[in-house]
Amino acid sequence: MSHDSRIELTKDGLSLSRLVFGAWRLLDSAARPDADQIARLIGTAVDLGLTSFDHADIYGHYQVEAAFGAGLSRWKGKRDSIELISKCDIILASANRPQNRLKHYDTSAAHIAASVDRSLANLGTDYLDLLLLHRPDPLMDADETAAALAGLVKSGKVRAVGVSNYTPSQFDLLASRLPFALATNQIEMSVLKTNALVDGSLDHAQRLGYAPMIWSPLGGGLLFTGKEGREARVRAAIAAVAAEIGAGDLAAVAIAWLLRHPARLAPVLGTMKPERLAVMVKALEIDLGRQQWFAILEASEGRPVA
Amino acid sequence: MSHDSRIELTKDGLSLSRLVFGAWRLLDSAARPDADQIARLIGTAVDLGLTSFDHADIYGHYQVEAAFGAGLSRWKGKRDSIELISKCDIILASANRPQNRLKHYDTSAAHIAASVDRSLANLGTDYLDLLLLHRPDPLMDADETAAALAGLVKSGKVRAVGVSNYTPSQFDLLASRLPFALATNQIEMSVLKTNALVDGSLDHAQRLGYAPMIWSPLGGGLLFTGKEGREARVRAAIAAVAAEIGAGDLAAVAIAWLLRHPARLAPVLGTMKPERLAVMVKALEIDLGRQQWFAILEASEGRPVA
Amino acid sequence: MSHDSRIELTKDGLSLSRLVFGAWRLLDSAARPDADQIARLIGTAVDLGLTSFDHADIYGHYQVEAAFGAGLSRWKGKRDSIELISKCDIILASANRPQNRLKHYDTSAAHIAASVDRSLANLGTDYLDLLLLHRPDPLMDADETAAALAGLVKSGKVRAVGVSNYTPSQFDLLASRLPFALATNQIEMSVLKTNALVDGSLDHAQRLGYAPMIWSPLGGGLLFTGKEGREARVRAAIAAVAAEIGAGDLAAVAIAWLLRHPARLAPVLGTMKPERLAVMVKALEIDLGRQQWFAILEASEGRPVA
């Protein structure tokens, strides 16, 4: 394979599959999958090498974790052959949480502890491999939050801790209070959303040595449907590269574009369709040349590099 | 009280009152106060717990410090029961300084030393509790400026040194040359001006452990008079919170919104009216809940958090 | 002289002339200079104190280095009385490189090594005094690139290494992997392009102690020809300062404006005309006062400082 199929996240042995199964939209289809269907989907993902499953307490208006947990209980594999990732700190205004008056964040020790306990119960497991703070909370008391996170690791409820959507400055603040390194920063990036290349996020990751996880690695589907100039340009550039290398699928090339980056990006795939997962996994075998990579970047930016 | 009434600035004992009296507009009213009136205003502030007085050499076109000093000489309290803060490095084009052709900055050792000597003479004291560089000077020679500041501390003319309106990058440069920690960064922030929450300023403060002072904590009064969308939205959101918690005054809630932040913000109050000071001091007793705090933020940003 | 005529770049003895001869446009004139003419130009520059010559592999569509090298071979001076600077990592789409399909970057070890070997051969020397990475490469693998650069220094092919057009974040990443300090960051700056004053670039340089080189120090000539508001304002402000100090030439004042900065800027002069070089060298004798410096800044920004 052209790309490593696993990413080492911590020095004491936690690794993720290079491509991560994103459970965000597990319940989004009109026909809500039952536990057996979810168990089969888990099995398919694992068979394709996607052993890491990305959750958040709020996905599906607080319903995805429990549905996934029901599927997991029917799946025949071993708990330690997969990695369960969840997130906390976003508080949704949701019919399922009537006490929440507006969307906000909460990085208090009490909320983090309660949210992790709910995630563990919903997923039917006694530990998370990775817990992420979902969004930077402007009211984060770094001492309090770090102590809560360190306590979760010490208790064994969480193997490693990371963040999501953090700037380097926010990352450095939290990191300054923790007795261990933050394992990742899950950020948005795709051929349609390239600012992480220049805003310092990937410099920071490569300098400190953590591997970023990537959400919306296909631009939320806009790559295939968007009619705007940028999307049409990028689609054409990817199609040209795909033709050149004999790749059948644009999504696999778009994922391979991320895998080419030296900061060791781990894209979170959001499709619930086994056949789409199978196609995207082929990205691991696609090694883009520099001119191919920059041709896609140039199409995205709408101009040659400086 | 819900909030600490004092803020520790340095490890060797300098603290400020949580709410600071800002002398900026001391001479702005049509009826210029005389020394006795200023002495009474000082007494009122101290009685309300505002023992820290924020000055700058340039306030009132270089006239405020001397007027305040005249009042201070008639005030009956002890020098060491209050904290005097001043600033230097802005050079105003002013009728009182005909040699100044345009507004500029000066962080040369000679200017800093001369400015502090003038501030001490004008205020009628032999030391400043805190000296701030007023604005980042693009021509600052960090070695020269740091040596000047360190010399002032060594001489006893200044107890502690800080900056104002600095980015983290500018702060780090000056800090790299000083033999002690910078005590604060006085920045603009209010319910109408929230960028410090996301531009790294407050991350930096919390990471390094210094307490930011806050100027224009009420948005320069726009909160009460502004007719634009943002101001009207924020006023309504604050009014709703005030009604909910039984607070009588919008300004107190707006100040409490700042006090809620974990970086230990010290707002500088700019009113010269004793009755307004008395109202704002009630902010120390107001502990906003997260949903209340975020409702005000959402009104200010004009959209829910991400 | 008002300004040091040399800039120390490294602790083991590499210095540059304060004003650097930029070879970028060596072949741009209609009448392409021959080797003897270039030899004379080198002699003139050295006689004026410009002993440092700034190149890049790509200048003149990959032709400048060889033309300069031909001139250098006829010049009578000693190799160790001058400093040769070159750059790599931009890959041009050029008739001289038909394999290049689009402009892109390459910081791979293989490309860096090959590019330096070509620069050495073209210039007719066995070492570069300074090698710069020309542009930040989003695909830079810091470990690989740093190892390549360190190897070049160890081999003696390159005395020192720097970067160009890097943000502080990009600089810190590469620096984190190198066994020596980066010697410079060559950035764009002029009276018409002042963002380095506020974007952290010069803070970073002064904090770490490296001297930035400056490209387009006259704004690419716009200072003299531009008809827009900013350019007209700056030209008038510089003319007023020039009249005040008795300087005959606007360009010398514009260069002196850069030399006034405490970060020790080393402007790269792009003219090929000996008489223009002679005029600009007079900048070394011009010591602008703060009010003069800020008057030019104010004209450039279009408003007084804050």
Side-chain angles (χ1 to χ4, degrees):
Chain A
M1 276 195 189
S2 290
H3 299 284
D4 292 337
S5 62
R6 306 276 312 165
I7 292 268
E8 196 173 288
L9 275 204
T10 68
K11 293 188 175 170
D12 60 346
L14 174 61
S15 69
L16 300 185
S17 53
R18 185 63 182 268
L19 301 177
V20 173
F21 182 98
W24 178 29
R25 297 187 286 194
L26 183 68
L27 304 180
D28 278 10
S29 62
R32 182 183 162 126
D34 64 22
D36 285 328
Q37 290 171 311
I38 292 172
R40 280 196 297 276
L41 188 57
I42 294 170
T44 299
V46 170
D47 289 346
L48 288 167
L50 281 74
T51 64
S52 301
F53 295 85
D54 183 70
H55 285 269
D57 58 340
I58 60 167
Y59 286 167
H61 278 265
Y62 297 98
Q63 304 294 311
V64 161
E65 285 183 331
F68 186 92
L72 195 62
S73 70
R74 305 205 178 186
W75 173 65
K76 305 301 185 189
K78 286 187 170 176
R79 171 66 183 87
D80 67 2
S81 66
I82 62 171
E83 300 81 35
L84 295 178
I85 304 160
S86 195
K87 314 188 190 77
C88 66
D89 102 356
I90 298 180
I91 312 292
L92 278 191
S94 165
N96 296 320
R97 292 288 189 279
Q99 71 276 31
N100 300 346
R101 289 151 50 178
L102 79 168
K103 189 175 184 182
H104 63 287
Y105 307 129
D106 192 344
T107 50
S108 68
H111 175 71
I112 291 171
S115 183
V116 167
D117 282 344
R118 281 192 295 268
S119 290
L120 294 176
N122 285 331
L123 291 167
T125 184
D126 53 6
Y127 70 95
L128 295 175
D129 293 275
L130 181 60
L131 173 70
L132 308 183
L133 296 182
H134 206 155
R135 288 270 177 191
D137 169 18
L139 289 183
M140 181 180 76
D141 180 316
D143 290 313
E144 175 182 349
T145 301
L149 296 171
L152 285 167
V153 170
K154 196 169 181 194
S155 74
K157 290 183 179 178
V158 165
R159 288 182 69 194
V161 168
V163 293
S164 185
N165 305 300
Y166 268 45
T167 63
S169 169
Q170 293 159 343
F171 189 106
D172 288 347
L173 167 56
L174 182 58
S176 73
R177 302 306 207 275
L178 283 168
F180 43 74
L182 285 167
T184 191
N185 185 15
Q186 184 176 127
I187 59 176
E188 185 181 7
M189 183 175 171
S190 71
V191 289
L192 294 174
K193 171 94 172 170
T194 59
N195 52 304
L197 292 171
V198 293
D199 69 8
S201 295
L202 296 184
D203 302 333
H204 188 264
Q206 196 177 166
R207 179 162 60 81
L208 296 189
Y210 62 87
M213 299 175 71
I214 302 297
W215 62 270
S216 277
L218 296 173
L222 280 173
L223 179 57
F224 306 111
T225 60
K227 293 182 161 54
E228 281 185 43
R230 184 179 200 176
E231 291 137 13
R233 284 196 313 268
V234 172
R235 197 160 51 230
I238 290 180
V241 169
E244 192 170 30
I245 63 179
D249 193 88
L250 301 195
V253 176
I255 298 295
W257 187 85
L258 294 168
L259 299 180
R260 178 67 181 79
H261 194 278
R264 301 184 301 140
L265 310 185
V268 178
L269 307 182
T271 183
M272 296 302 125
K273 298 178 184 168
E275 68 277 15
R276 293 301 298 152
L277 287 177
V279 162
M280 291 183 209
V281 167
K282 296 210 185 299
L284 291 170
E285 297 161 29
I286 298 175
D287 194 11
L288 296 180
R290 279 186 173 265
Q291 301 210 51
Q292 292 164 336
W293 193 90
F294 276 95
I296 293 170
L297 179 66
E298 177 178 306
S300 184
E301 303 292 341
R303 60 175 185 279
V305 297
Chain B
M1 277 196 188
S2 290
H3 300 284
D4 292 337
S5 62
R6 306 275 313 164
I7 292 269
E8 196 173 288
L9 276 205
T10 68
K11 293 188 174 171
D12 60 346
L14 174 61
S15 69
L16 300 185
S17 53
R18 185 62 182 269
L19 301 177
V20 173
F21 182 98
W24 178 28
R25 296 187 286 194
L26 183 68
L27 304 180
D28 278 10
S29 63
R32 183 184 161 125
D34 64 21
D36 285 328
Q37 289 171 311
I38 292 172
R40 281 197 296 277
L41 188 57
I42 293 170
T44 299
V46 171
D47 289 346
L48 288 167
L50 281 73
T51 64
S52 301
F53 295 85
D54 183 70
H55 286 269
D57 58 340
I58 60 167
Y59 285 167
H61 277 266
Y62 297 98
Q63 304 294 312
V64 161
E65 285 184 331
F68 186 91
L72 195 61
S73 71
R74 306 206 178 187
W75 173 65
K76 306 299 186 192
K78 287 188 169 175
R79 171 67 184 87
D80 67 2
S81 67
I82 62 172
E83 300 81 35
L84 295 177
I85 303 159
S86 195
K87 314 188 190 77
C88 65
D89 103 355
I90 298 180
I91 312 292
L92 278 191
S94 164
N96 295 320
R97 292 288 189 280
Q99 71 275 32
N100 300 346
R101 290 151 49 178
L102 79 168
K103 188 174 184 183
H104 63 287
Y105 307 129
D106 192 345
T107 50
S108 68
H111 175 71
I112 291 172
S115 183
V116 167
D117 282 344
R118 281 191 296 267
S119 290
L120 293 176
N122 285 332
L123 291 166
T125 183
D126 53 6
Y127 69 95
L128 295 175
D129 294 275
L130 181 60
L131 172 70
L132 308 183
L133 297 182
H134 206 155
R135 288 270 177 191
D137 170 18
L139 289 183
M140 181 179 76
D141 180 316
D143 290 313
E144 175 182 349
T145 301
L149 296 171
L152 285 166
V153 170
K154 196 170 181 192
S155 75
K157 290 183 179 178
V158 166
R159 288 181 69 194
V161 168
V163 293
S164 185
N165 304 300
Y166 268 45
T167 63
S169 169
Q170 293 159 343
F171 189 106
D172 289 347
L173 167 56
L174 182 59
S176 73
R177 302 306 207 275
L178 283 168
F180 43 74
L182 285 166
T184 192
N185 185 14
Q186 184 176 126
I187 59 176
E188 184 181 6
M189 184 176 172
S190 71
V191 289
L192 293 174
K193 172 93 172 171
T194 59
N195 51 303
L197 292 171
V198 293
D199 68 8
S201 295
L202 296 184
D203 302 333
H204 188 265
Q206 196 177 167
R207 179 163 60 80
L208 296 189
Y210 62 86
M213 299 175 70
I214 301 298
W215 61 270
S216 278
L218 296 173
L222 280 173
L223 179 58
F224 306 111
T225 60
K227 292 182 161 56
E228 281 185 42
R230 184 178 199 176
E231 292 138 13
R233 284 196 313 268
V234 172
R235 197 160 51 229
I238 290 180
V241 169
E244 192 170 31
I245 64 180
D249 193 88
L250 301 195
V253 175
I255 298 294
W257 188 85
L258 294 168
L259 299 180
R260 177 67 182 79
H261 195 278
R264 303 184 300 141
L265 310 185
V268 178
L269 307 183
T271 183
M272 296 302 125
K273 299 178 183 168
E275 68 277 16
R276 293 301 298 153
L277 286 177
V279 162
M280 291 184 209
V281 167
K282 296 208 185 299
L284 292 170
E285 298 161 29
I286 298 175
D287 194 11
L288 295 180
R290 279 186 173 265
Q291 301 209 53
Q292 292 164 336
W293 193 90
F294 276 94
I296 293 170
L297 179 66
E298 178 178 306
S300 184
E301 303 292 341
R303 59 174 186 279
V305 297
Chain C
M1 277 195 188
S2 290
H3 300 284
D4 292 336
S5 62
R6 306 276 312 165
I7 292 268
E8 196 173 288
L9 275 205
T10 68
K11 294 189 174 171
D12 60 346
L14 174 61
S15 69
L16 299 185
S17 53
R18 185 64 183 268
L19 301 177
V20 173
F21 182 99
W24 179 28
R25 296 187 286 194
L26 183 68
L27 304 180
D28 277 10
S29 62
R32 183 184 162 127
D34 64 21
D36 285 328
Q37 289 171 311
I38 291 172
R40 281 197 296 277
L41 188 57
I42 293 171
T44 299
V46 170
D47 288 346
L48 288 167
L50 282 74
T51 64
S52 301
F53 295 85
D54 183 71
H55 286 269
D57 58 340
I58 60 167
Y59 286 167
H61 277 266
Y62 297 97
Q63 304 294 311
V64 161
E65 285 183 331
F68 186 92
L72 195 61
S73 70
R74 305 204 179 187
W75 173 65
K76 305 300 186 191
K78 286 187 170 177
R79 171 66 183 86
D80 66 1
S81 66
I82 62 171
E83 300 82 35
L84 295 178
I85 304 160
S86 195
K87 314 187 191 78
C88 66
D89 102 355
I90 298 180
I91 311 292
L92 279 191
S94 165
N96 296 320
R97 292 288 189 280
Q99 71 275 30
N100 299 346
R101 289 150 51 178
L102 80 168
K103 189 175 184 183
H104 62 288
Y105 307 130
D106 192 344
T107 50
S108 67
H111 175 71
I112 291 172
S115 183
V116 168
D117 282 344
R118 281 191 296 268
S119 290
L120 294 175
N122 285 332
L123 291 166
T125 184
D126 53 6
Y127 69 96
L128 294 174
D129 294 275
L130 181 60
L131 173 70
L132 308 183
L133 297 182
H134 206 154
R135 288 270 178 192
D137 169 18
L139 289 183
M140 181 180 76
D141 179 316
D143 290 313
E144 175 182 349
T145 301
L149 296 171
L152 285 167
V153 170
K154 195 168 181 193
S155 74
K157 290 183 179 179
V158 165
R159 288 181 70 194
V161 168
V163 294
S164 185
N165 304 300
Y166 268 45
T167 63
S169 169
Q170 293 159 343
F171 189 106
D172 289 347
L173 167 56
L174 181 58
S176 74
R177 302 306 207 276
L178 283 168
F180 43 74
L182 285 167
T184 191
N185 185 14
Q186 184 176 126
I187 59 176
E188 185 181 6
M189 183 175 172
S190 71
V191 290
L192 293 174
K193 172 95 172 168
T194 59
N195 51 305
L197 292 171
V198 293
D199 68 8
S201 295
L202 296 184
D203 302 333
H204 187 265
Q206 196 177 166
R207 178 162 61 80
L208 296 189
Y210 62 87
M213 299 175 71
I214 301 298
W215 62 270
S216 278
L218 296 173
L222 280 173
L223 179 57
F224 306 111
T225 60
K227 293 183 161 53
E228 281 186 43
R230 184 178 200 177
E231 291 137 13
R233 284 196 313 267
V234 172
R235 197 160 52 230
I238 290 181
V241 169
E244 192 170 31
I245 64 179
D249 193 88
L250 301 195
V253 175
I255 297 294
W257 188 85
L258 294 168
L259 299 180
R260 178 66 181 80
H261 194 278
R264 302 184 300 140
L265 310 185
V268 178
L269 307 182
T271 183
M272 296 302 125
K273 298 177 183 169
E275 68 277 15
R276 293 301 298 152
L277 286 177
V279 162
M280 291 184 209
V281 167
K282 296 212 185 297
L284 291 170
E285 298 162 29
I286 298 175
D287 194 10
L288 296 180
R290 279 186 173 265
Q291 301 210 52
Q292 292 164 336
W293 192 90
F294 276 95
I296 293 170
L297 179 66
E298 178 178 306
S300 184
E301 304 292 341
R303 59 174 186 279
V305 297

